[in-house]
Amino acid sequence: MEEIIVKTSIKIEMIDITGEVNRRIKKSGIREGICLIYCPHTTAGLTMNENADPNVVRDILNGLDRLIPEDQPYLHAEGNSPAHIKSSILGCSTTIIISGGTLSLGTWQSLFFCELDGPRTRSVWVKILEG
Ligand code: ZN
């Protein structure tokens, strides 16, 4: 298993980790297979979406804020229930096909680590399988 360390700098942000995962695939020497990416945190997540227009990322984060407002009567005493809910909506793992030694993503797709309760130092686990 590979581990990618992601240092986030603000409360909520999306960080493109496509290149970092592709570097791990290149290092493995595997040309065809699958890559499992896992986020072992309860207030962070993973998603794939557009990185060409940075407004798409802003709209996603703003949309999540509108869906899950901060000023609700949450029960969790830590005070970060919105981040926990957003994490469950986004999900904590994804599997992407490896072809030609790289992640097979759509033209406009990138893989994002989503910080929802930062800033923190986070981990992303990567398992690369040949096949
Ligand atoms: Zn909490």
Side-chain angles (χ1 to χ4, degrees):
M1 182 180 84
E2 294 279 330
E3 182 174 35
I4 295 170
I5 302 298
V6 181
K7 286 184 177 18
T8 65
S9 54
I10 55 176
K11 181 165 183 171
I12 297 177
E13 63 181 315
M14 289 168 61
I15 297 171
D16 188 340
I17 59 169
T18 311
E20 197 60 44
V21 174
N22 275 331
R23 273 188 282 283
R24 306 306 170 101
I25 293 169
K26 187 173 182 183
K27 192 176 92 177
S28 78
I30 292 172
R31 305 277 304 159
E32 303 295 323
I34 60 169
C35 184
L36 189 147
I37 303 107
Y38 188 85
C39 168
H41 303 288
T42 60
T43 56
L46 297 170
T47 194
M48 276 146 324
N49 218 297
E50 179 176 331
N51 79 343
D53 177 1
N55 282 328
V56 172
V57 163
R58 289 191 194 102
D59 283 342
I60 291 169
L61 294 176
N62 289 339
L64 285 169
D65 279 341
R66 285 193 298 274
L67 279 173
I68 317 295
E70 293 280 336
D71 59 348
Q72 295 295 306
Y74 300 109
L75 301 176
H76 176 48
E78 194 183 11
N80 60 355
S81 283
H84 287 291
I85 296 168
K86 290 171 187 171
S87 171
S88 280
I89 289 172
L90 291 168
C92 63
S93 74
T94 190
T95 306
I96 304 172
I97 296 167
I98 298 166
S99 181
T102 189
L103 292 173
S104 289
L105 293 168
T107 303
W108 302 106
Q109 282 185 315
S110 282
L111 171 63
F112 288 94
F113 174 85
C114 304
E115 175 60 76
L116 305 167
D117 192 28
R120 299 187 194 217
T121 299
R122 303 290 204 170
S123 294
V124 175
W125 297 340
V126 178
K127 185 72 180 178
I128 301 160
L129 299 170
E130 191 165 26

